[in-house]
Amino acid sequence: MKIKIIAIATAICALFSISTYADDSILKNLQIANESYAAGNYQEAESAYRKMIESGNISSSVLSNLSRTVYREGKLGEAILFMLKAQVLSPRDPEIMADLKFLRGKVIDKVEPAKRGIVQKISTSISSMLSEREIVIAMITLAFISCLIISLRIMMPTPISVTYGTRRTFTVMAIATSILFLIASAQWGYMAAFTSEPGVVSAEEASISSGPGDGNVVIMKLHAGSEFTIKFRNNSGWTRIELTDGRGGWIKEEDIAR
Amino acid sequence: MTKHILAAIIAITVLVMNSAAFAGQIALTADRTQLSVGESITLSLELQGVGDDPKLSGTDGFDVVESGTSSQIQIINGSFTSSKVYHYKLTAQRTGEFTVGPATVMDGGNRVQSNTITVSVGERSNVQAGITSERNTAISLEISNPEPYVGEQIVCTLRFTSRIPIQNAELTPPQFRGFTKEQLGEVAKTRRVINGEAWDVSEVRWALFPSKSGRITIDPIRIAADVAVQTKRRVDPFFSNPLFGGLQDFERQVFATESATVDVKDLPKDGMPKNFSGLVGSFNMTSKATDLSAKIGDSITITTTVKGTGQARDIPEPTLAETPAYRVYLDQPSFNKEGTSAGIVSAKTSTMAIVPLQEGKIDIAPMELNYFDPIAKSYQTIKSDPITIEVKGGTASFETGKPQSKKGIETISNDLMPISSDIGARNIGDRTSYILLALSPALFIAIATAIRRRSRRISNDPIDIRMKRARREFAKKIKEINDANEKEFCKEASLILRRFLGSISQIDGAALTAREIGVILSNVGCDPKLTEQAIRFIEKCDASIYGGAAINTKEISAMKAELSAIMKGVKL
């Protein structure tokens, strides 16, 4: 028994030290990139932030700093794309919200959002308040709590030794926590399954065609910073997109912010 | 005879008087006298009491179209007059000063002439930019000065002209990167006649102040509007009657101007004052005091107003150093802006209160302001008039309690937030591990369910539990049996079987005889063959223990297997 306790404690300490080391490493790289930004070396800073993202060190700060850097280089589309990604990780961050509003104010095109269903509206409201990480943590916590309560309820002795009121309290708690768990799971499932990849126009002016290929009819033109969702990428360098008002078409891959 | 002559003279006089009273009048009027090439004016020629068929001269330089006549009858004090008005539309073909008229008409052999009208025709106005006979709409962007200095005000005019119905027009707010902008009033809508057609002209103007030198491009400005198009539908003539508003199809279209470039020049370094205010434009300054004589402790307000064509907010605050002779309290400045078609004229009025602290003269030094005049292309310095205040009498026993006035914090421009130095929120990574973690607590429920079932089973079927427990316990003992020594083996094997049968019967089975074992097994309904087998087993063991019967190793293995079979076969 003692050996088991020591083994578990050692594993927890190891996990903690690994995560602390990982955080220190990210902070160090972030600091280097920030110094380049502060010195006005925006290309260097952009390269450093992109390297962090490619190596898996993705955080809201890295993405938002990259957004601000590419904006200084005049790339409005890329700036909006990275700021959108930062907002997904940290939806309540006021600085990210303010910067996204500022960047969107620079966009020429005005697109009215289409009407959404109730499920979409609820999911979007939750996504705007909680990040995916927070929803997952809530979901796991609720899973443990509800299962624990259900287990205790199952193992509860007969009514003779435990009052009916206590059993009912446990039953209600079990139902309530289970419902919250299901809501959190449904939201996470919806986010994972139905949230489309966002895209932003990077070119000053991009043609949107009725089909993939230069021979198709140009149905509209979008300008730098216009947002859309990516539906499908084909292998010939064209991407099927959809605007928030429901209109869609095909855009060249090179005109999309990366 | 004399009477006849007198009557004739009177008649002739009356006739002449009457004819004088009814003498023909011909008057030429115009709706306006200034226009541009391509625009039209309407001339009205009124003939009163004269003949008909007037001839209009002096129309060289105009395209003349007769646009009908109208008649008018007036009865004033019993006298009856009638007039006829001829209307002409004159479209200017070239620039210049023209004398239109006179118009002449023959009236019974007499030539009657009208007045003339002087008309000024200027260059074709930008209103007509882009207008052709083939197009129904035109959009243009005009810059008042394409080569301004940094900070110099220029006016950008967006003009949209249409001769067909337009509705729901939406202007995409232009960015004007590189400029500070102020819109000059609301959209101005007029109707003009160009080349004989009525056009609706909408104009919106901005005052722009370039914030940096170099070439700045003003991006195309867009207007989206619903434009009337020829309806393809078959329409009931009743409903297409204009009296009832008509039916038209409208199509959403976007109009965009060309981009415009402005080459902004740096302010010249030569002649720039050391304390240059940064103002560019044309300014004047006035300064006045509420009173030129005061007592100690009285407050005198000095109001300085700077007015000009630059940005009022850039005008620096007047400063006045405090001395032992007086205290100075600055008030919040006020701004006034007036937008005209030529741009913004702004004024900044600064007020300060001066409280004398001792008798004597206070000389308020003239306030200076320097600015760059882009028209004169030089730096100018203007000064206010000096003010002298006579202070006599009074006491300064209190701190005149006008606190330092505060100014609102002005937003100069917007920019991104500073970069973050902390890690921020991390991404979630691999989702599979989280799914497994979320499902793992279900084990609690499974374990709890198993425990609950077991306890229920125990409380419902104790015999079954007892059987299983006994089998498990004695199966373990069989494994540990000492089969090296035949006597020891037999002792342990018979004890195991006896105790097993005793435990399921809830008695101490160590002392059971073979016969008693047979009775127990029969009582519980055990298979007779198995009962016989169990009895034989015990007897064999007893024979070996007490009778010395020999058992070889092979038999020991067989007996071990037989013992396990007996224990498994016993059912209650």
Side-chain angles (χ1 to χ4, degrees), chain A residues 23 26-27 30 34 37 58-61 65 68 71-72 89 95 98-99 102 105-106 108 110 132-133 136 139-140 143-144 147 150-151 154-156 188 205 223, chain B residues 170 172 175 177 219 222 414-429 431 434-435 437-442 444-449 451-452:
Chain A
D23 280 358
I26 296 171
L27 266 175
L30 188 66
N34 287 355
Y37 180 96
I58 303 171
S59 75
S60 58
S61 294
N65 288 358
R68 290 165 187 135
Y71 175 75
R72 297 285 177 225
L89 296 184
E95 293 195 347
D99 277 352
F102 171 81
K106 303 284 178 189
I108 293 173
K110 179 181 165 186
E132 189 183 5
R133 194 186 187 90
V136 164
M139 187 186 77
I140 293 171
F144 272 93
C147 287
I150 291 170
S151 304
I154 289 172
M155 284 170 54
M156 215 166 259
W188 190 41
E205 189 175 86
H223 300 85
Chain B
E170 246 178 51
T172 304
Q175 299 291 311
R177 288 193 190 93
D219 294 331
R222 287 175 174 73
N414 285 321
D415 196 9
L416 290 170
M417 290 288 172
I419 49 173
S420 307
S421 53
D422 59 345
I423 294 174
R426 302 291 302 277
N427 66 325
I428 194 171
R431 289 193 170 109
Y434 290 102
I435 294 172
L437 200 56
L439 292 174
S440 59
F444 293 162
I445 298 174
I447 292 167
T449 310
I451 293 171
R452 185 84 179 124

Coordinates of all heavy atoms in Angstrom, one line a residue, chain A residues 23 26-27 30 34 37 58-61 65 68 71-72 89 95 98-99 102 105-106 108 110 132-133 136 139-140 143-144 147 150-151 154-156 188 205 223, chain B residues 170 172 175 177 219 222 414-429 431 434-435 437-442 444-449 451-452:
Chain A
D23 N 6.0 25.1 -19.8 CA 5.6 26.5 -19.7 C 6.8 27.4 -19.7 O 6.7 28.5 -20.4 CB 4.8 26.7 -18.4 CG 3.3 26.2 -18.5 OD1 3.0 25.8 -19.6 OD2 2.6 26.3 -17.6
I26 N 7.9 27.8 -23.3 CA 7.1 28.7 -24.1 C 7.3 30.1 -23.8 O 7.4 31.0 -24.6 CB 5.6 28.3 -23.9 CG1 5.3 26.9 -24.3 CG2 4.7 29.3 -24.6 CD1 3.9 26.4 -23.9
L27 N 7.4 30.4 -22.5 CA 7.6 31.8 -22.0 C 8.9 32.3 -22.6 O 9.0 33.5 -23.1 CB 7.7 31.8 -20.5 CG 6.4 32.2 -19.8 CD1 6.6 32.1 -18.3 CD2 5.9 33.5 -20.2
L30 N 8.5 33.0 -26.3 CA 7.6 34.1 -26.4 C 8.3 35.5 -26.2 O 8.1 36.4 -26.9 CB 6.4 34.0 -25.4 CG 5.2 35.0 -25.6 CD1 4.5 34.8 -26.9 CD2 4.2 34.8 -24.4
N34 N 8.7 38.5 -28.7 CA 8.2 39.8 -28.3 C 9.3 40.9 -28.4 O 9.0 42.0 -28.7 CB 7.7 39.8 -26.8 CG 6.4 39.0 -26.7 OD1 5.8 38.6 -27.7 ND2 5.9 38.8 -25.5
Y37 N 9.5 42.0 -31.8 CA 8.4 42.9 -32.1 C 8.7 44.3 -31.6 O 8.4 45.3 -32.3 CB 7.1 42.4 -31.5 CG 5.9 43.2 -31.7 CD1 5.0 42.9 -32.8 CD2 5.6 44.3 -30.9 CE1 3.9 43.7 -33.0 CE2 4.4 45.1 -31.1 CZ 3.6 44.8 -32.1 OH 2.5 45.5 -32.3
I58 N 0.9 26.4 -29.0 CA -0.1 27.3 -29.4 C -0.8 27.8 -28.1 O -1.3 27.1 -27.3 CB -1.2 26.6 -30.3 CG1 -0.4 26.0 -31.5 CG2 -2.3 27.5 -30.7 CD1 -1.3 25.0 -32.3
S59 N -0.9 29.1 -28.1 CA -1.7 29.7 -27.0 C -2.3 31.0 -27.5 O -2.0 31.5 -28.6 CB -0.8 30.0 -25.8 OG 0.0 31.2 -26.1
S60 N -3.2 31.6 -26.7 CA -3.9 32.8 -27.2 C -3.0 33.9 -27.3 O -3.1 34.8 -28.2 CB -5.1 33.1 -26.2 OG -4.5 33.3 -24.9
S61 N -1.9 34.0 -26.4 CA -1.0 35.1 -26.5 C -0.1 35.0 -27.8 O 0.1 36.0 -28.5 CB -0.1 35.1 -25.3 OG -0.8 35.4 -24.2
N65 N -0.4 37.8 -30.5 CA 0.8 38.6 -30.8 C 1.2 38.5 -32.3 O 1.6 39.4 -33.0 CB 2.0 38.1 -30.0 CG 1.8 38.6 -28.5 OD1 0.9 39.3 -28.2 ND2 2.8 38.2 -27.7
R68 N -1.0 40.8 -34.3 CA -0.6 42.2 -34.2 C 0.7 42.4 -35.0 O 0.8 43.5 -35.7 CB -0.3 42.6 -32.7 CG -1.6 42.7 -31.9 CD -1.3 42.7 -30.4 NE -2.6 42.6 -29.7 CZ -2.8 41.8 -28.7 NH1 -1.8 41.0 -28.2 NH2 -4.0 41.7 -28.1
Y71 N -0.3 42.5 -38.7 CA -1.0 43.7 -39.0 C 0.0 44.9 -39.3 O -0.2 45.7 -40.2 CB -1.9 44.1 -37.9 CG -2.6 45.5 -38.1 CD1 -3.6 45.6 -39.0 CD2 -2.1 46.6 -37.4 CE1 -4.2 46.8 -39.2 CE2 -2.7 47.8 -37.6 CZ -3.8 48.0 -38.6 OH -4.3 49.2 -38.8
R72 N 1.1 44.9 -38.5 CA 2.1 45.9 -38.6 C 2.8 45.8 -40.0 O 3.2 46.8 -40.6 CB 3.2 45.8 -37.6 CG 2.7 46.0 -36.2 CD 2.4 47.5 -35.9 NE 1.9 47.6 -34.5 CZ 0.9 48.4 -34.2 NH1 0.2 49.1 -35.1 NH2 0.4 48.5 -33.0
L89 N -9.5 30.4 -28.3 CA -8.8 29.9 -27.1 C -9.2 30.7 -25.9 O -9.2 30.2 -24.8 CB -7.3 29.9 -27.3 CG -6.8 28.9 -28.4 CD1 -5.2 29.0 -28.4 CD2 -7.2 27.5 -28.2
E95 N -8.8 42.3 -24.5 CA -7.9 42.9 -25.4 C -8.0 42.2 -26.8 O -8.0 42.9 -27.8 CB -6.4 42.7 -24.9 CG -6.2 43.5 -23.7 CD -4.7 43.7 -23.3 OE1 -3.9 42.9 -23.9 OE2 -4.4 44.5 -22.5
A98 N -11.2 43.7 -28.3 CA -11.0 45.0 -28.7 C -10.2 45.0 -30.1 O -10.5 45.8 -31.0 CB -10.3 45.8 -27.7
D99 N -9.2 44.2 -30.1 CA -8.4 44.2 -31.3 C -9.1 43.6 -32.5 O -9.0 44.1 -33.7 CB -7.1 43.4 -31.1 CG -6.0 44.2 -30.4 OD1 -6.2 45.4 -30.3 OD2 -5.0 43.6 -30.0
F102 N -11.3 46.3 -33.8 CA -10.4 47.3 -34.5 C -10.1 46.8 -35.9 O -10.2 47.5 -36.9 CB -9.2 47.5 -33.7 CG -8.1 48.4 -34.4 CD1 -8.2 49.7 -34.4 CD2 -7.1 47.8 -35.0 CE1 -7.3 50.5 -35.1 CE2 -6.1 48.5 -35.7 CZ -6.2 49.9 -35.7
G105 N -13.0 46.7 -38.3 CA -13.4 48.0 -38.7 C -12.6 48.4 -40.0 O -13.0 49.3 -40.7
K106 N -11.5 47.7 -40.2 CA -10.7 48.1 -41.4 C -11.2 47.4 -42.7 O -10.7 47.7 -43.8 CB -9.2 47.6 -41.2 CG -8.6 48.2 -40.0 CD -8.2 49.6 -40.2 CE -7.6 50.2 -38.9 NZ -7.4 51.7 -39.1
I108 N -13.4 46.4 -45.8 CA -14.3 47.2 -46.6 C -15.7 46.5 -46.8 O -16.7 47.1 -46.7 CB -13.7 47.3 -48.1 CG1 -12.4 48.2 -48.0 CG2 -14.7 47.9 -49.0 CD1 -11.7 48.2 -49.3
K110 N -19.1 44.5 -46.3 CA -20.1 44.4 -45.2 C -20.9 43.2 -45.6 O -21.5 43.1 -46.7 CB -20.9 45.6 -45.2 CG -22.0 45.6 -44.1 CD -22.8 46.9 -44.2 CE -24.0 46.8 -43.4 NZ -24.9 48.0 -43.6
E132 N -12.9 26.0 -25.5 CA -13.1 24.5 -25.6 C -12.5 23.8 -24.4 O -13.1 22.9 -23.8 CB -12.5 24.0 -26.9 CG -12.8 22.5 -27.1 CD -12.2 22.0 -28.4 OE1 -11.3 22.7 -29.0 OE2 -12.4 20.8 -28.7
R133 N -11.3 24.3 -24.0 CA -10.6 23.8 -22.8 C -11.5 23.8 -21.6 O -11.6 22.9 -20.8 CB -9.3 24.5 -22.6 CG -8.4 23.8 -21.7 CD -7.2 24.8 -21.5 NE -6.2 24.0 -20.7 CZ -5.2 23.3 -21.3 NH1 -5.1 23.2 -22.6 NH2 -4.3 22.7 -20.5
V136 N -14.3 21.4 -21.7 CA -13.9 20.0 -21.5 C -13.6 19.8 -20.0 O -14.0 18.7 -19.4 CB -12.6 19.7 -22.3 CG1 -11.9 18.5 -21.8 CG2 -13.0 19.6 -23.8
M139 N -16.8 19.5 -18.3 CA -17.5 18.2 -18.7 C -16.9 17.0 -17.8 O -17.6 16.2 -17.3 CB -17.2 17.9 -20.1 CG -18.0 16.7 -20.7 SD -17.5 16.4 -22.4 CE -15.9 15.7 -22.2
I140 N -15.5 17.0 -17.7 CA -14.9 15.9 -17.0 C -15.2 16.0 -15.5 O -15.5 15.0 -14.8 CB -13.3 16.0 -17.2 CG1 -13.0 15.6 -18.7 CG2 -12.6 15.0 -16.3 CD1 -11.6 15.8 -19.1
A143 N -18.6 14.9 -15.0 CA -18.7 13.4 -15.2 C -18.3 12.7 -13.8 O -19.0 11.8 -13.4 CB -17.7 13.0 -16.3
F144 N -17.2 13.2 -13.2 CA -16.8 12.6 -12.0 C -17.8 12.8 -10.9 O -18.2 11.8 -10.1 CB -15.4 13.1 -11.6 CG -14.2 12.4 -12.1 CD1 -13.7 12.8 -13.3 CD2 -13.7 11.3 -11.5 CE1 -12.6 12.1 -13.9 CE2 -12.7 10.6 -12.1 CZ -12.1 11.0 -13.2
C147 N -21.1 10.8 -11.6 CA -20.9 9.3 -11.4 C -20.7 9.0 -9.9 O -21.2 8.0 -9.5 CB -19.6 8.8 -12.2 SG -20.0 8.8 -14.0
I150 N -24.1 9.2 -8.4 CA -24.9 8.1 -8.8 C -24.5 6.8 -8.1 O -25.3 6.0 -7.7 CB -24.9 7.9 -10.4 CG1 -25.6 9.1 -11.1 CG2 -25.5 6.6 -10.8 CD1 -25.4 9.1 -12.5
S151 N -23.2 6.6 -8.0 CA -22.7 5.4 -7.3 C -23.1 5.4 -5.9 O -23.5 4.3 -5.4 CB -21.1 5.4 -7.4 OG -20.7 5.5 -8.7
I154 N -26.6 4.4 -5.7 CA -26.9 3.0 -6.0 C -26.6 2.2 -4.7 O -27.3 1.2 -4.4 CB -26.0 2.5 -7.1 CG1 -26.6 3.1 -8.5 CG2 -26.0 1.0 -7.2 CD1 -25.7 2.9 -9.7
M155 N -25.5 2.6 -4.1 CA -25.0 1.8 -2.9 C -25.8 2.1 -1.6 O -25.5 1.5 -0.6 CB -23.5 2.0 -2.7 CG -22.7 1.2 -3.7 SD -21.0 1.7 -3.7 CE -20.6 1.4 -2.1
M156 N -26.7 3.1 -1.7 CA -27.4 3.5 -0.5 C -28.2 2.4 0.0 O -28.9 1.7 -0.7 CB -28.3 4.7 -0.9 CG -28.4 5.7 0.2 SD -29.1 7.2 -0.4 CE -27.6 8.2 -0.6
W188 N -19.5 20.4 -26.5 CA -18.2 20.0 -26.9 C -18.3 19.3 -28.2 O -17.6 19.5 -29.2 CB -17.5 19.2 -25.9 CG -16.0 19.0 -26.2 CD1 -15.2 19.9 -26.7 CD2 -15.3 17.8 -26.0 NE1 -13.9 19.4 -26.9 CE2 -14.0 18.1 -26.5 CE3 -15.6 16.6 -25.5 CZ2 -13.0 17.1 -26.4 CZ3 -14.6 15.6 -25.5 CH2 -13.3 15.9 -25.9
E205 N -7.9 42.2 -53.2 CA -9.2 41.9 -53.8 C -9.1 40.4 -54.3 O -8.2 40.1 -55.0 CB -9.4 42.8 -55.0 CG -10.9 42.7 -55.5 CD -11.1 43.8 -56.6 OE1 -10.9 43.5 -57.7 OE2 -11.7 44.8 -56.2
H223 N -12.7 41.5 -50.3 CA -11.5 42.3 -50.1 C -10.8 41.8 -48.8 O -11.4 41.1 -48.0 CB -11.8 43.8 -50.0 CG -12.5 44.3 -51.3 ND1 -13.8 44.2 -51.5 CD2 -11.9 44.9 -52.4 CE1 -14.0 44.7 -52.8 NE2 -12.9 45.1 -53.3
Chain B
E170 N -26.4 53.1 -50.3 CA -25.6 52.8 -49.1 C -24.1 53.2 -49.4 O -23.6 52.6 -50.3 CB -25.6 51.4 -48.7 CG -26.3 51.1 -47.4 CD -26.4 49.6 -47.1 OE1 -25.3 48.9 -47.2 OE2 -27.5 49.1 -46.8
T172 N -20.3 53.0 -48.6 CA -19.3 52.3 -47.8 C -18.4 53.4 -47.3 O -17.7 54.1 -48.0 CB -18.5 51.3 -48.6 OG1 -19.5 50.4 -49.2 CG2 -17.6 50.5 -47.8
Q175 N -12.0 54.8 -46.1 CA -11.0 54.7 -45.0 C -10.2 56.0 -44.9 O -9.9 56.5 -43.8 CB -10.1 53.5 -45.3 CG -10.8 52.2 -45.3 CD -11.3 51.8 -43.9 OE1 -10.6 51.8 -43.0 NE2 -12.5 51.4 -43.8
R177 N -7.0 56.3 -45.6 CA -5.7 56.0 -44.8 C -4.7 57.1 -45.1 O -4.5 57.5 -46.2 CB -5.2 54.7 -45.3 CG -6.0 53.5 -44.8 CD -5.2 52.2 -45.0 NE -6.1 51.1 -44.8 CZ -6.7 50.4 -45.8 NH1 -6.6 50.8 -47.0 NH2 -7.5 49.4 -45.5
D219 N -8.4 55.0 -51.8 CA -9.0 53.9 -52.4 C -10.4 54.2 -53.0 O -11.0 55.2 -52.6 CB -9.2 52.8 -51.3 CG -7.9 52.3 -50.8 OD1 -6.9 52.3 -51.6 OD2 -7.9 51.9 -49.6
R222 N -17.1 53.3 -52.6 CA -18.2 52.5 -53.2 C -19.6 53.0 -52.7 O -19.8 53.3 -51.5 CB -18.0 51.1 -52.9 CG -16.9 50.4 -53.6 CD -16.7 49.0 -53.2 NE -15.7 48.4 -54.1 CZ -14.4 48.7 -54.1 NH1 -13.9 49.5 -53.3 NH2 -13.6 48.1 -55.0
N414 N -6.8 55.5 -33.0 CA -7.0 54.1 -32.4 C -5.9 53.2 -33.0 O -5.4 53.4 -34.1 CB -8.4 53.5 -32.9 CG -9.5 54.1 -32.1 OD1 -9.4 54.4 -30.9 ND2 -10.6 54.4 -32.8
D415 N -5.5 52.2 -32.2 CA -4.5 51.3 -32.6 C -4.7 50.0 -31.9 O -5.6 49.9 -31.0 CB -3.1 51.8 -32.4 CG -2.0 51.1 -33.1 OD1 -2.4 50.3 -34.0 OD2 -0.8 51.3 -32.9
L416 N -3.9 49.0 -32.3 CA -4.0 47.7 -31.6 C -3.5 47.8 -30.2 O -2.8 48.7 -29.8 CB -3.2 46.6 -32.3 CG -3.6 46.2 -33.7 CD1 -2.6 45.4 -34.4 CD2 -4.9 45.4 -33.6
M417 N -3.9 46.7 -29.4 CA -3.4 46.6 -28.0 C -1.9 46.2 -28.0 O -1.5 45.7 -29.0 CB -4.2 45.6 -27.3 CG -5.7 46.0 -27.0 SD -5.7 47.2 -25.7 CE -7.4 47.7 -25.8
P418 N -1.2 46.4 -26.9 CA 0.2 46.0 -26.8 C 0.2 44.4 -26.8 O -0.8 43.8 -26.5 CB 0.7 46.5 -25.5 CG -0.4 47.5 -25.0 CD -1.7 47.2 -25.7
I419 N 1.4 43.9 -27.2 CA 1.5 42.5 -27.3 C 1.5 41.9 -25.8 O 1.9 42.5 -24.9 CB 2.7 42.0 -28.0 CG1 4.0 42.8 -27.5 CG2 2.6 42.2 -29.5 CD1 5.3 42.3 -28.1
S420 N 1.1 40.6 -25.7 CA 1.0 39.9 -24.4 C 2.4 39.3 -24.1 O 3.1 38.8 -25.0 CB 0.0 38.8 -24.4 OG -1.2 39.2 -24.9
S421 N 2.7 39.3 -22.8 CA 4.0 38.8 -22.3 C 3.7 37.5 -21.5 O 4.7 36.8 -21.2 CB 4.7 39.8 -21.5 OG 3.9 40.2 -20.5
D422 N 2.5 37.1 -21.2 CA 2.2 35.9 -20.6 C 1.7 34.8 -21.6 O 1.3 35.2 -22.7 CB 1.2 36.0 -19.4 CG -0.1 36.6 -19.9 OD1 -0.1 37.1 -21.0 OD2 -1.1 36.5 -19.1
I423 N 1.7 33.6 -21.1 CA 1.4 32.5 -22.1 C 0.0 32.6 -22.6 O -0.3 32.4 -23.8 CB 1.6 31.1 -21.4 CG1 3.1 30.9 -21.1 CG2 1.2 30.0 -22.4 CD1 3.4 29.7 -20.3
G424 N -1.0 32.9 -21.7 CA -2.4 32.9 -22.2 C -3.0 31.5 -22.2 O -2.4 30.6 -21.6
A425 N -4.1 31.4 -22.8 CA -4.9 30.1 -22.8 C -4.3 29.2 -23.8 O -4.0 29.5 -24.9 CB -6.3 30.4 -23.1
R426 N -4.0 27.9 -23.4 CA -3.4 27.0 -24.3 C -4.5 26.3 -25.1 O -5.7 26.2 -24.7 CB -2.7 25.9 -23.4 CG -1.6 26.5 -22.6 CD -0.4 27.0 -23.4 NE 0.2 26.0 -24.2 CZ 1.1 25.1 -23.8 NH1 1.5 25.1 -22.6 NH2 1.6 24.2 -24.7
N427 N -4.1 25.6 -26.1 CA -5.1 24.9 -26.9 C -5.3 23.5 -26.3 O -4.5 23.1 -25.4 CB -4.6 24.7 -28.4 CG -3.4 23.9 -28.5 OD1 -2.5 23.9 -27.6 ND2 -3.3 23.1 -29.6
I428 N -6.3 22.8 -26.7 CA -6.7 21.6 -26.0 C -5.8 20.4 -26.4 O -5.7 19.4 -25.6 CB -8.2 21.3 -26.3 CG1 -8.7 20.3 -25.3 CG2 -8.4 20.9 -27.7 CD1 -10.2 20.2 -25.4
G429 N -5.3 20.3 -27.6 CA -4.4 19.2 -27.9 C -5.3 18.0 -28.4 O -6.4 18.2 -28.9
R431 N -7.9 15.2 -28.5 CA -9.2 15.1 -27.8 C -9.5 13.7 -27.2 O -10.3 13.5 -26.3 CB -10.3 15.4 -28.8 CG -10.4 16.9 -29.2 CD -11.6 17.2 -30.0 NE -11.8 18.6 -30.1 CZ -11.6 19.3 -31.3 NH1 -11.4 18.6 -32.4 NH2 -11.8 20.6 -31.3
Y434 N -9.1 13.2 -23.5 CA -10.2 13.8 -22.7 C -11.5 13.0 -22.8 O -12.2 12.9 -21.8 CB -10.4 15.2 -23.3 CG -9.3 16.2 -23.0 CD1 -8.4 16.5 -24.0 CD2 -9.1 16.8 -21.7 CE1 -7.4 17.4 -23.8 CE2 -8.1 17.6 -21.5 CZ -7.2 17.9 -22.5 OH -6.2 18.8 -22.3
I435 N -11.7 12.4 -23.9 CA -12.9 11.6 -24.0 C -12.8 10.4 -23.1 O -13.8 10.0 -22.3 CB -13.1 11.1 -25.5 CG1 -13.4 12.2 -26.4 CG2 -14.2 10.0 -25.5 CD1 -13.4 11.9 -27.9
L437 N -11.0 10.2 -20.4 CA -11.1 10.7 -19.0 C -12.5 10.9 -18.6 O -12.9 10.7 -17.5 CB -10.2 12.0 -18.9 CG -9.8 12.4 -17.5 CD1 -9.0 11.3 -16.9 CD2 -8.9 13.7 -17.7
A438 N -13.3 11.4 -19.5 CA -14.7 11.8 -19.2 C -15.5 10.5 -19.0 O -16.5 10.5 -18.3 CB -15.3 12.6 -20.3
L439 N -15.1 9.4 -19.7 CA -15.9 8.2 -19.6 C -15.4 7.3 -18.4 O -16.2 6.5 -18.0 CB -15.7 7.3 -20.9 CG -16.3 8.0 -22.1 CD1 -16.0 7.1 -23.4 CD2 -17.9 8.0 -22.0
S440 N -14.2 7.6 -17.9 CA -13.7 6.7 -16.8 C -14.5 6.7 -15.6 O -14.6 5.7 -14.9 CB -12.2 7.1 -16.5 OG -12.2 8.5 -16.1
P441 N -15.2 7.8 -15.2 CA -16.0 7.7 -14.0 C -17.1 6.8 -14.0 O -17.7 6.4 -13.0 CB -16.5 9.2 -13.8 CG -15.6 10.0 -14.6 CD -15.1 9.2 -15.7
A442 N -17.5 6.3 -15.3 CA -18.5 5.3 -15.4 C -18.2 4.0 -14.6 O -19.0 3.3 -14.2 CB -18.8 5.0 -16.8
F444 N -17.1 3.9 -11.7 CA -17.6 4.0 -10.3 C -19.0 3.4 -10.3 O -19.4 2.7 -9.4 CB -17.8 5.5 -9.9 CG -16.5 6.3 -9.7 CD1 -16.5 7.7 -9.7 CD2 -15.3 5.6 -9.6 CE1 -15.4 8.4 -9.6 CE2 -14.1 6.3 -9.4 CZ -14.2 7.7 -9.4
I445 N -19.8 3.7 -11.3 CA -21.2 3.2 -11.4 C -21.2 1.7 -11.5 O -21.9 1.0 -10.9 CB -21.9 3.9 -12.6 CG1 -22.0 5.4 -12.3 CG2 -23.3 3.3 -12.7 CD1 -22.6 6.1 -13.5
A446 N -20.3 1.2 -12.4 CA -20.2 -0.2 -12.6 C -19.8 -0.9 -11.3 O -20.4 -2.0 -10.9 CB -19.1 -0.5 -13.7
I447 N -18.8 -0.4 -10.6 CA -18.4 -1.0 -9.3 C -19.5 -0.9 -8.3 O -19.8 -1.9 -7.6 CB -17.1 -0.3 -8.8 CG1 -16.0 -0.5 -9.7 CG2 -16.8 -0.7 -7.3 CD1 -14.8 0.4 -9.5
A448 N -20.2 0.2 -8.2 CA -21.3 0.4 -7.3 C -22.4 -0.6 -7.6 O -23.0 -1.2 -6.6 CB -21.8 1.8 -7.3
T449 N -22.7 -0.8 -8.8 CA -23.7 -1.7 -9.2 C -23.3 -3.1 -8.9 O -24.2 -3.9 -8.4 CB -24.0 -1.6 -10.8 OG1 -24.1 -0.2 -11.1 CG2 -25.2 -2.4 -11.2
I451 N -21.3 -4.1 -6.5 CA -21.4 -4.3 -5.0 C -22.8 -4.4 -4.6 O -23.1 -5.3 -3.7 CB -20.7 -3.1 -4.3 CG1 -19.2 -3.1 -4.6 CG2 -21.0 -3.1 -2.8 CD1 -18.5 -1.8 -4.2
R452 N -23.7 -3.6 -5.2 CA -25.1 -3.7 -4.8 C -25.7 -5.0 -5.1 O -26.4 -5.6 -4.3 CB -25.8 -2.5 -5.5 CG -27.3 -2.4 -5.1 CD -27.4 -1.5 -3.9 NE -28.8 -1.4 -3.5 CZ -29.3 -1.7 -2.3 NH1 -28.5 -2.2 -1.4 NH2 -30.5 -1.6 -2.1

